[in-house]
Amino acid sequence: MAHGKKYLEAAKLVDRERIYSPAEAAALAKETAFVAFDSTVEAHLRLGVDPRHADQMVRGTVVLPHGTGKVVRVAVFAQGDKAQEALRAGADEVGGEDLVKKIEAGWLEFDVALATPDSMGMVGKLGKILGRRGLMPNPKAGTITFDLERAVKEVKGGRVEFKVDKAGIVHTAFGRTSFEPEALVDNLAALVDAVNRARPSGAKGQYLKSLTIATTMGPGIRVDVPALLAVANAA
């Protein structure tokens, strides 16, 4: 793939053989961002697992201490008192069968869907629509719960989901280039610590193999994983 002139200029700033300290990597990510908008900073964490085996699947959530820098729109499937609880907590759209019909008609203006366990019967009708977009509520992701106040506030405040892909890599956005380097380090440390704690029973040998961060369209920067875990443990 041919890269543009701006990418090549940014790539010159990165030593591909070097593993950077968390602080250096965060500062370099900001320096190598060359797009005209406040770009996302993503982590790509390679794990020593084979996700084809059920006992090596890695999935979970983490609340990033400084949020994601993104406005998250939350839809909640709930009724009665729970619907009122979700609205008070700041949910953008709340409903039952009416919300199901609205989504069936094509409305999808939300980023995260939450549901109470007793509403999953009707949400199940939306399996194909929500499943394709990764929006289906799931107990492992903490998106099926009766504690809607906490769930809505966490999602709005910076809770992100992580899941290992077929290649054994976790890809997760953890901030924006407008963040201070210290905030990027804090968020990245929280993410890596959460993935480390989610180590599955079937994982053998080295679990956290390597970590690369990059801004939207920017070059990859390798980061020292043990140093990040030390940051998380010191928090």
PDB file of all heavy atoms in Angstrom, residues 118-155:
ATOM      1  N   ASP A 118     -35.058  -8.592  31.790  1.00  0.00           N
ATOM      2  CA  ASP A 118     -36.444  -8.949  31.470  1.00  0.00           C
ATOM      3  C   ASP A 118     -36.934  -8.372  30.142  1.00  0.00           C
ATOM      4  O   ASP A 118     -38.049  -8.675  29.705  1.00  0.00           O
ATOM      5  CB  ASP A 118     -37.389  -8.540  32.616  1.00  0.00           C
ATOM      6  CG  ASP A 118     -37.362  -7.049  32.905  1.00  0.00           C
ATOM      7  OD1 ASP A 118     -36.513  -6.347  32.310  1.00  0.00           O
ATOM      8  OD2 ASP A 118     -38.167  -6.577  33.729  1.00  0.00           O
ATOM      9  N   SER A 119     -36.123  -7.536  29.505  1.00  0.00           N
ATOM     10  CA  SER A 119     -36.534  -6.977  28.201  1.00  0.00           C
ATOM     11  C   SER A 119     -35.848  -7.697  27.034  1.00  0.00           C
ATOM     12  O   SER A 119     -36.087  -7.375  25.876  1.00  0.00           O
ATOM     13  CB  SER A 119     -36.216  -5.475  28.137  1.00  0.00           C
ATOM     14  OG  SER A 119     -34.820  -5.254  28.187  1.00  0.00           O
ATOM     15  N   MET A 120     -34.990  -8.686  27.339  1.00  0.00           N
ATOM     16  CA  MET A 120     -34.236  -9.343  26.266  1.00  0.00           C
ATOM     17  C   MET A 120     -35.120 -10.166  25.335  1.00  0.00           C
ATOM     18  O   MET A 120     -34.740 -10.441  24.199  1.00  0.00           O
ATOM     19  CB  MET A 120     -33.109 -10.200  26.855  1.00  0.00           C
ATOM     20  CG  MET A 120     -31.904  -9.385  27.330  1.00  0.00           C
ATOM     21  SD  MET A 120     -31.252  -8.266  26.051  1.00  0.00           S
ATOM     22  CE  MET A 120     -30.653  -9.449  24.831  1.00  0.00           C
ATOM     23  N   GLY A 121     -36.305 -10.566  25.810  1.00  0.00           N
ATOM     24  CA  GLY A 121     -37.222 -11.298  24.941  1.00  0.00           C
ATOM     25  C   GLY A 121     -37.574 -10.496  23.706  1.00  0.00           C
ATOM     26  O   GLY A 121     -37.540 -11.006  22.586  1.00  0.00           O
ATOM     27  N   MET A 122     -37.891  -9.209  23.914  1.00  0.00           N
ATOM     28  CA  MET A 122     -38.246  -8.375  22.753  1.00  0.00           C
ATOM     29  C   MET A 122     -36.998  -7.911  21.992  1.00  0.00           C
ATOM     30  O   MET A 122     -37.040  -7.746  20.777  1.00  0.00           O
ATOM     31  CB  MET A 122     -39.097  -7.178  23.189  1.00  0.00           C
ATOM     32  CG  MET A 122     -38.503  -6.292  24.227  1.00  0.00           C
ATOM     33  SD  MET A 122     -39.699  -4.988  24.678  1.00  0.00           S
ATOM     34  CE  MET A 122     -39.048  -4.426  26.240  1.00  0.00           C
ATOM     35  N   VAL A 123     -35.877  -7.727  22.707  1.00  0.00           N
ATOM     36  CA  VAL A 123     -34.647  -7.284  22.033  1.00  0.00           C
ATOM     37  C   VAL A 123     -34.139  -8.379  21.093  1.00  0.00           C
ATOM     38  O   VAL A 123     -33.531  -8.091  20.057  1.00  0.00           O
ATOM     39  CB  VAL A 123     -33.558  -6.912  23.071  1.00  0.00           C
ATOM     40  CG1 VAL A 123     -32.267  -6.482  22.373  1.00  0.00           C
ATOM     41  CG2 VAL A 123     -34.045  -5.783  23.980  1.00  0.00           C
ATOM     42  N   GLY A 124     -34.439  -9.643  21.448  1.00  0.00           N
ATOM     43  CA  GLY A 124     -34.005 -10.763  20.610  1.00  0.00           C
ATOM     44  C   GLY A 124     -34.476 -10.667  19.171  1.00  0.00           C
ATOM     45  O   GLY A 124     -33.808 -11.157  18.252  1.00  0.00           O
ATOM     46  N   LYS A 125     -35.599 -10.004  18.953  1.00  0.00           N
ATOM     47  CA  LYS A 125     -36.118  -9.816  17.583  1.00  0.00           C
ATOM     48  C   LYS A 125     -35.150  -9.001  16.724  1.00  0.00           C
ATOM     49  O   LYS A 125     -35.218  -9.024  15.499  1.00  0.00           O
ATOM     50  CB  LYS A 125     -37.461  -9.076  17.616  1.00  0.00           C
ATOM     51  CG  LYS A 125     -38.569  -9.759  18.397  1.00  0.00           C
ATOM     52  CD  LYS A 125     -39.780  -8.838  18.422  1.00  0.00           C
ATOM     53  CE  LYS A 125     -40.816  -9.280  19.451  1.00  0.00           C
ATOM     54  NZ  LYS A 125     -41.877  -8.286  19.593  1.00  0.00           N
ATOM     55  N   LEU A 126     -34.291  -8.224  17.393  1.00  0.00           N
ATOM     56  CA  LEU A 126     -33.380  -7.323  16.672  1.00  0.00           C
ATOM     57  C   LEU A 126     -32.003  -7.951  16.459  1.00  0.00           C
ATOM     58  O   LEU A 126     -31.058  -7.267  16.090  1.00  0.00           O
ATOM     59  CB  LEU A 126     -33.215  -6.010  17.460  1.00  0.00           C
ATOM     60  CG  LEU A 126     -34.492  -5.215  17.708  1.00  0.00           C
ATOM     61  CD1 LEU A 126     -34.220  -4.060  18.659  1.00  0.00           C
ATOM     62  CD2 LEU A 126     -35.058  -4.683  16.394  1.00  0.00           C
ATOM     63  N   GLY A 127     -31.910  -9.272  16.694  1.00  0.00           N
ATOM     64  CA  GLY A 127     -30.616  -9.955  16.610  1.00  0.00           C
ATOM     65  C   GLY A 127     -29.837  -9.663  15.345  1.00  0.00           C
ATOM     66  O   GLY A 127     -28.659  -9.322  15.399  1.00  0.00           O
ATOM     67  N   LYS A 128     -30.499  -9.779  14.195  1.00  0.00           N
ATOM     68  CA  LYS A 128     -29.793  -9.575  12.922  1.00  0.00           C
ATOM     69  C   LYS A 128     -29.362  -8.128  12.748  1.00  0.00           C
ATOM     70  O   LYS A 128     -28.255  -7.840  12.291  1.00  0.00           O
ATOM     71  CB  LYS A 128     -30.675 -10.000  11.746  1.00  0.00           C
ATOM     72  CG  LYS A 128     -30.762 -11.498  11.583  1.00  0.00           C
ATOM     73  CD  LYS A 128     -31.499 -11.871  10.311  1.00  0.00           C
ATOM     74  CE  LYS A 128     -31.500 -13.391  10.128  1.00  0.00           C
ATOM     75  NZ  LYS A 128     -32.279 -13.790   8.932  1.00  0.00           N
ATOM     76  N   ILE A 129     -30.230  -7.205  13.125  1.00  0.00           N
ATOM     77  CA  ILE A 129     -29.934  -5.775  12.933  1.00  0.00           C
ATOM     78  C   ILE A 129     -28.808  -5.337  13.867  1.00  0.00           C
ATOM     79  O   ILE A 129     -27.809  -4.732  13.437  1.00  0.00           O
ATOM     80  CB  ILE A 129     -31.190  -4.909  13.183  1.00  0.00           C
ATOM     81  CG1 ILE A 129     -32.302  -5.277  12.198  1.00  0.00           C
ATOM     82  CG2 ILE A 129     -30.849  -3.421  13.071  1.00  0.00           C
ATOM     83  CD1 ILE A 129     -33.655  -4.644  12.517  1.00  0.00           C
ATOM     84  N   LEU A 130     -28.947  -5.635  15.157  1.00  0.00           N
ATOM     85  CA  LEU A 130     -27.953  -5.173  16.138  1.00  0.00           C
ATOM     86  C   LEU A 130     -26.683  -6.013  16.101  1.00  0.00           C
ATOM     87  O   LEU A 130     -25.579  -5.489  16.286  1.00  0.00           O
ATOM     88  CB  LEU A 130     -28.556  -5.207  17.546  1.00  0.00           C
ATOM     89  CG  LEU A 130     -29.773  -4.303  17.790  1.00  0.00           C
ATOM     90  CD1 LEU A 130     -30.218  -4.405  19.242  1.00  0.00           C
ATOM     91  CD2 LEU A 130     -29.460  -2.846  17.443  1.00  0.00           C
ATOM     92  N   GLY A 131     -26.835  -7.320  15.856  1.00  0.00           N
ATOM     93  CA  GLY A 131     -25.679  -8.213  15.839  1.00  0.00           C
ATOM     94  C   GLY A 131     -24.661  -7.839  14.788  1.00  0.00           C
ATOM     95  O   GLY A 131     -23.450  -7.821  15.045  1.00  0.00           O
ATOM     96  N   ARG A 132     -25.136  -7.508  13.601  1.00  0.00           N
ATOM     97  CA  ARG A 132     -24.233  -7.139  12.494  1.00  0.00           C
ATOM     98  C   ARG A 132     -23.394  -5.914  12.824  1.00  0.00           C
ATOM     99  O   ARG A 132     -22.294  -5.756  12.323  1.00  0.00           O
ATOM    100  CB  ARG A 132     -25.057  -6.851  11.225  1.00  0.00           C
ATOM    101  CG  ARG A 132     -25.381  -8.079  10.394  1.00  0.00           C
ATOM    102  CD  ARG A 132     -25.743  -7.680   8.974  1.00  0.00           C
ATOM    103  NE  ARG A 132     -26.867  -6.767   8.923  1.00  0.00           N
ATOM    104  CZ  ARG A 132     -28.131  -7.145   8.733  1.00  0.00           C
ATOM    105  NH1 ARG A 132     -28.421  -8.415   8.606  1.00  0.00           N
ATOM    106  NH2 ARG A 132     -29.093  -6.262   8.681  1.00  0.00           N
ATOM    107  N   ARG A 133     -23.950  -5.039  13.655  1.00  0.00           N
ATOM    108  CA  ARG A 133     -23.271  -3.778  13.972  1.00  0.00           C
ATOM    109  C   ARG A 133     -22.555  -3.823  15.327  1.00  0.00           C
ATOM    110  O   ARG A 133     -22.043  -2.808  15.792  1.00  0.00           O
ATOM    111  CB  ARG A 133     -24.280  -2.622  13.958  1.00  0.00           C
ATOM    112  CG  ARG A 133     -24.838  -2.335  12.583  1.00  0.00           C
ATOM    113  CD  ARG A 133     -26.059  -1.435  12.621  1.00  0.00           C
ATOM    114  NE  ARG A 133     -26.514  -1.083  11.287  1.00  0.00           N
ATOM    115  CZ  ARG A 133     -27.246  -1.873  10.514  1.00  0.00           C
ATOM    116  NH1 ARG A 133     -27.613  -3.066  10.937  1.00  0.00           N
ATOM    117  NH2 ARG A 133     -27.625  -1.466   9.309  1.00  0.00           N
ATOM    118  N   GLY A 134     -22.537  -4.980  15.953  1.00  0.00           N
ATOM    119  CA  GLY A 134     -21.879  -5.100  17.254  1.00  0.00           C
ATOM    120  C   GLY A 134     -22.603  -4.349  18.354  1.00  0.00           C
ATOM    121  O   GLY A 134     -21.982  -3.925  19.342  1.00  0.00           O
ATOM    122  N   LEU A 135     -23.921  -4.173  18.218  1.00  0.00           N
ATOM    123  CA  LEU A 135     -24.702  -3.384  19.175  1.00  0.00           C
ATOM    124  C   LEU A 135     -25.603  -4.233  20.076  1.00  0.00           C
ATOM    125  O   LEU A 135     -26.294  -3.693  20.928  1.00  0.00           O
ATOM    126  CB  LEU A 135     -25.581  -2.369  18.418  1.00  0.00           C
ATOM    127  CG  LEU A 135     -24.848  -1.227  17.712  1.00  0.00           C
ATOM    128  CD1 LEU A 135     -25.812  -0.476  16.796  1.00  0.00           C
ATOM    129  CD2 LEU A 135     -24.220  -0.278  18.708  1.00  0.00           C
ATOM    130  N   MET A 136     -25.581  -5.545  19.897  1.00  0.00           N
ATOM    131  CA  MET A 136     -26.483  -6.407  20.669  1.00  0.00           C
ATOM    132  C   MET A 136     -26.061  -6.435  22.136  1.00  0.00           C
ATOM    133  O   MET A 136     -24.906  -6.688  22.450  1.00  0.00           O
ATOM    134  CB  MET A 136     -26.452  -7.822  20.102  1.00  0.00           C
ATOM    135  CG  MET A 136     -27.570  -8.708  20.615  1.00  0.00           C
ATOM    136  SD  MET A 136     -29.172  -8.149  19.981  1.00  0.00           S
ATOM    137  CE  MET A 136     -30.250  -9.334  20.774  1.00  0.00           C
ATOM    138  N   PRO A 137     -26.981  -6.130  23.063  1.00  0.00           N
ATOM    139  CA  PRO A 137     -26.639  -6.212  24.493  1.00  0.00           C
ATOM    140  C   PRO A 137     -26.117  -7.604  24.848  1.00  0.00           C
ATOM    141  O   PRO A 137     -26.594  -8.606  24.316  1.00  0.00           O
ATOM    142  CB  PRO A 137     -27.970  -5.912  25.188  1.00  0.00           C
ATOM    143  CG  PRO A 137     -28.716  -5.064  24.212  1.00  0.00           C
ATOM    144  CD  PRO A 137     -28.362  -5.629  22.864  1.00  0.00           C
ATOM    145  N   ASN A 138     -25.117  -7.627  25.734  1.00  0.00           N
ATOM    146  CA  ASN A 138     -24.447  -8.883  26.068  1.00  0.00           C
ATOM    147  C   ASN A 138     -24.026  -8.849  27.533  1.00  0.00           C
ATOM    148  O   ASN A 138     -23.415  -7.872  27.975  1.00  0.00           O
ATOM    149  CB  ASN A 138     -23.222  -9.031  25.155  1.00  0.00           C
ATOM    150  CG  ASN A 138     -22.487 -10.338  25.362  1.00  0.00           C
ATOM    151  OD1 ASN A 138     -21.967 -10.611  26.431  1.00  0.00           O
ATOM    152  ND2 ASN A 138     -22.431 -11.140  24.324  1.00  0.00           N
ATOM    153  N   PRO A 139     -24.316  -9.902  28.304  1.00  0.00           N
ATOM    154  CA  PRO A 139     -23.961  -9.864  29.728  1.00  0.00           C
ATOM    155  C   PRO A 139     -22.454  -9.743  29.972  1.00  0.00           C
ATOM    156  O   PRO A 139     -22.021  -9.094  30.930  1.00  0.00           O
ATOM    157  CB  PRO A 139     -24.506 -11.192  30.275  1.00  0.00           C
ATOM    158  CG  PRO A 139     -24.760 -12.057  29.082  1.00  0.00           C
ATOM    159  CD  PRO A 139     -25.037 -11.140  27.936  1.00  0.00           C
ATOM    160  N   LYS A 140     -21.625 -10.345  29.073  1.00  0.00           N
ATOM    161  CA  LYS A 140     -20.166 -10.283  29.254  1.00  0.00           C
ATOM    162  C   LYS A 140     -19.640  -8.867  29.050  1.00  0.00           C
ATOM    163  O   LYS A 140     -18.586  -8.509  29.565  1.00  0.00           O
ATOM    164  CB  LYS A 140     -19.471 -11.248  28.287  1.00  0.00           C
ATOM    165  CG  LYS A 140     -19.675 -12.706  28.667  1.00  0.00           C
ATOM    166  CD  LYS A 140     -18.945 -13.612  27.722  1.00  0.00           C
ATOM    167  CE  LYS A 140     -19.171 -15.075  28.100  1.00  0.00           C
ATOM    168  NZ  LYS A 140     -18.599 -16.005  27.119  1.00  0.00           N
ATOM    169  N   ALA A 141     -20.372  -8.075  28.282  1.00  0.00           N
ATOM    170  CA  ALA A 141     -19.959  -6.688  28.039  1.00  0.00           C
ATOM    171  C   ALA A 141     -20.602  -5.733  29.047  1.00  0.00           C
ATOM    172  O   ALA A 141     -20.410  -4.521  28.978  1.00  0.00           O
ATOM    173  CB  ALA A 141     -20.333  -6.270  26.622  1.00  0.00           C
ATOM    174  N   GLY A 142     -21.387  -6.295  29.974  1.00  0.00           N
ATOM    175  CA  GLY A 142     -22.031  -5.450  30.990  1.00  0.00           C
ATOM    176  C   GLY A 142     -23.165  -4.620  30.451  1.00  0.00           C
ATOM    177  O   GLY A 142     -23.584  -3.640  31.076  1.00  0.00           O
ATOM    178  N   THR A 143     -23.705  -5.012  29.287  1.00  0.00           N
ATOM    179  CA  THR A 143     -24.773  -4.209  28.671  1.00  0.00           C
ATOM    180  C   THR A 143     -26.164  -4.806  28.903  1.00  0.00           C
ATOM    181  O   THR A 143     -27.153  -4.262  28.422  1.00  0.00           O
ATOM    182  CB  THR A 143     -24.515  -4.018  27.160  1.00  0.00           C
ATOM    183  OG1 THR A 143     -24.150  -5.274  26.582  1.00  0.00           O
ATOM    184  CG2 THR A 143     -23.378  -3.030  26.930  1.00  0.00           C
ATOM    185  N   ILE A 144     -26.233  -5.931  29.619  1.00  0.00           N
ATOM    186  CA  ILE A 144     -27.524  -6.448  30.100  1.00  0.00           C
ATOM    187  C   ILE A 144     -27.480  -6.374  31.621  1.00  0.00           C
ATOM    188  O   ILE A 144     -26.701  -7.091  32.260  1.00  0.00           O
ATOM    189  CB  ILE A 144     -27.773  -7.903  29.650  1.00  0.00           C
ATOM    190  CG1 ILE A 144     -27.803  -7.992  28.121  1.00  0.00           C
ATOM    191  CG2 ILE A 144     -29.097  -8.415  30.221  1.00  0.00           C
ATOM    192  CD1 ILE A 144     -27.965  -9.416  27.588  1.00  0.00           C
ATOM    193  N   THR A 145     -28.266  -5.485  32.207  1.00  0.00           N
ATOM    194  CA  THR A 145     -28.167  -5.245  33.649  1.00  0.00           C
ATOM    195  C   THR A 145     -29.424  -4.558  34.172  1.00  0.00           C
ATOM    196  O   THR A 145     -30.093  -3.839  33.436  1.00  0.00           O
ATOM    197  CB  THR A 145     -26.934  -4.377  33.966  1.00  0.00           C
ATOM    198  OG1 THR A 145     -26.882  -4.114  35.367  1.00  0.00           O
ATOM    199  CG2 THR A 145     -26.973  -3.046  33.216  1.00  0.00           C
ATOM    200  N   PHE A 146     -29.697  -4.775  35.456  1.00  0.00           N
ATOM    201  CA  PHE A 146     -30.768  -4.019  36.119  1.00  0.00           C
ATOM    202  C   PHE A 146     -30.216  -2.720  36.712  1.00  0.00           C
ATOM    203  O   PHE A 146     -30.978  -1.823  37.055  1.00  0.00           O
ATOM    204  CB  PHE A 146     -31.415  -4.857  37.238  1.00  0.00           C
ATOM    205  CG  PHE A 146     -32.454  -5.827  36.736  1.00  0.00           C
ATOM    206  CD1 PHE A 146     -32.303  -7.184  36.959  1.00  0.00           C
ATOM    207  CD2 PHE A 146     -33.575  -5.387  36.043  1.00  0.00           C
ATOM    208  CE1 PHE A 146     -33.268  -8.091  36.508  1.00  0.00           C
ATOM    209  CE2 PHE A 146     -34.535  -6.280  35.591  1.00  0.00           C
ATOM    210  CZ  PHE A 146     -34.383  -7.641  35.818  1.00  0.00           C
ATOM    211  N   ASP A 147     -28.878  -2.640  36.840  1.00  0.00           N
ATOM    212  CA  ASP A 147     -28.263  -1.431  37.411  1.00  0.00           C
ATOM    213  C   ASP A 147     -28.023  -0.417  36.294  1.00  0.00           C
ATOM    214  O   ASP A 147     -26.891  -0.130  35.905  1.00  0.00           O
ATOM    215  CB  ASP A 147     -26.953  -1.798  38.112  1.00  0.00           C
ATOM    216  CG  ASP A 147     -26.408  -0.643  38.966  1.00  0.00           C
ATOM    217  OD1 ASP A 147     -26.991   0.460  38.921  1.00  0.00           O
ATOM    218  OD2 ASP A 147     -25.398  -0.853  39.667  1.00  0.00           O
ATOM    219  N   LEU A 148     -29.101   0.127  35.768  1.00  0.00           N
ATOM    220  CA  LEU A 148     -29.011   1.008  34.595  1.00  0.00           C
ATOM    221  C   LEU A 148     -28.347   2.336  34.909  1.00  0.00           C
ATOM    222  O   LEU A 148     -27.648   2.898  34.070  1.00  0.00           O
ATOM    223  CB  LEU A 148     -30.407   1.239  34.011  1.00  0.00           C
ATOM    224  CG  LEU A 148     -31.045   0.018  33.333  1.00  0.00           C
ATOM    225  CD1 LEU A 148     -32.451   0.325  32.900  1.00  0.00           C
ATOM    226  CD2 LEU A 148     -30.205  -0.445  32.140  1.00  0.00           C
ATOM    227  N   GLU A 149     -28.557   2.839  36.119  1.00  0.00           N
ATOM    228  CA  GLU A 149     -27.937   4.124  36.469  1.00  0.00           C
ATOM    229  C   GLU A 149     -26.417   4.029  36.343  1.00  0.00           C
ATOM    230  O   GLU A 149     -25.780   4.871  35.705  1.00  0.00           O
ATOM    231  CB  GLU A 149     -28.318   4.545  37.895  1.00  0.00           C
ATOM    232  CG  GLU A 149     -27.718   5.894  38.266  1.00  0.00           C
ATOM    233  CD  GLU A 149     -28.126   6.366  39.658  1.00  0.00           C
ATOM    234  OE1 GLU A 149     -28.822   5.622  40.378  1.00  0.00           O
ATOM    235  OE2 GLU A 149     -27.735   7.487  40.013  1.00  0.00           O
ATOM    236  N   ARG A 150     -25.836   2.989  36.944  1.00  0.00           N
ATOM    237  CA  ARG A 150     -24.388   2.820  36.877  1.00  0.00           C
ATOM    238  C   ARG A 150     -23.932   2.572  35.440  1.00  0.00           C
ATOM    239  O   ARG A 150     -22.957   3.162  34.967  1.00  0.00           O
ATOM    240  CB  ARG A 150     -23.950   1.657  37.777  1.00  0.00           C
ATOM    241  CG  ARG A 150     -22.435   1.419  37.801  1.00  0.00           C
ATOM    242  CD  ARG A 150     -22.069   0.212  38.641  1.00  0.00           C
ATOM    243  NE  ARG A 150     -22.699  -1.004  38.156  1.00  0.00           N
ATOM    244  CZ  ARG A 150     -22.256  -1.716  37.125  1.00  0.00           C
ATOM    245  NH1 ARG A 150     -21.171  -1.344  36.463  1.00  0.00           N
ATOM    246  NH2 ARG A 150     -22.884  -2.822  36.749  1.00  0.00           N
ATOM    247  N   ALA A 151     -24.654   1.689  34.725  1.00  0.00           N
ATOM    248  CA  ALA A 151     -24.244   1.330  33.364  1.00  0.00           C
ATOM    249  C   ALA A 151     -24.277   2.535  32.424  1.00  0.00           C
ATOM    250  O   ALA A 151     -23.335   2.758  31.656  1.00  0.00           O
ATOM    251  CB  ALA A 151     -25.148   0.221  32.824  1.00  0.00           C
ATOM    252  N   VAL A 152     -25.351   3.321  32.474  1.00  0.00           N
ATOM    253  CA  VAL A 152     -25.451   4.504  31.595  1.00  0.00           C
ATOM    254  C   VAL A 152     -24.328   5.487  31.910  1.00  0.00           C
ATOM    255  O   VAL A 152     -23.659   5.999  31.006  1.00  0.00           O
ATOM    256  CB  VAL A 152     -26.824   5.186  31.741  1.00  0.00           C
ATOM    257  CG1 VAL A 152     -26.835   6.529  31.003  1.00  0.00           C
ATOM    258  CG2 VAL A 152     -27.941   4.288  31.204  1.00  0.00           C
ATOM    259  N   LYS A 153     -24.102   5.739  33.191  1.00  0.00           N
ATOM    260  CA  LYS A 153     -23.060   6.713  33.576  1.00  0.00           C
ATOM    261  C   LYS A 153     -21.661   6.235  33.189  1.00  0.00           C
ATOM    262  O   LYS A 153     -20.830   7.025  32.758  1.00  0.00           O
ATOM    263  CB  LYS A 153     -23.152   7.007  35.074  1.00  0.00           C
ATOM    264  CG  LYS A 153     -24.356   7.891  35.395  1.00  0.00           C
ATOM    265  CD  LYS A 153     -24.455   8.253  36.858  1.00  0.00           C
ATOM    266  CE  LYS A 153     -25.623   9.219  37.091  1.00  0.00           C
ATOM    267  NZ  LYS A 153     -25.845   9.488  38.527  1.00  0.00           N
ATOM    268  N   GLU A 154     -21.415   4.918  33.323  1.00  0.00           N
ATOM    269  CA  GLU A 154     -20.096   4.392  32.943  1.00  0.00           C
ATOM    270  C   GLU A 154     -19.879   4.491  31.438  1.00  0.00           C
ATOM    271  O   GLU A 154     -18.808   4.903  30.986  1.00  0.00           O
ATOM    272  CB  GLU A 154     -19.957   2.933  33.393  1.00  0.00           C
ATOM    273  CG  GLU A 154     -19.646   2.785  34.870  1.00  0.00           C
ATOM    274  CD  GLU A 154     -19.315   1.358  35.268  1.00  0.00           C
ATOM    275  OE1 GLU A 154     -19.392   0.446  34.405  1.00  0.00           O
ATOM    276  OE2 GLU A 154     -18.981   1.142  36.436  1.00  0.00           O
ATOM    277  N   VAL A 155     -20.896   4.112  30.661  1.00  0.00           N
ATOM    278  CA  VAL A 155     -20.764   4.170  29.204  1.00  0.00           C
ATOM    279  C   VAL A 155     -20.570   5.613  28.746  1.00  0.00           C
ATOM    280  O   VAL A 155     -19.709   5.908  27.905  1.00  0.00           O
ATOM    281  CB  VAL A 155     -21.994   3.538  28.515  1.00  0.00           C
ATOM    282  CG1 VAL A 155     -21.979   3.825  27.023  1.00  0.00           C
ATOM    283  CG2 VAL A 155     -22.022   2.040  28.757  1.00  0.00           C
TER     284      VAL A 155
END
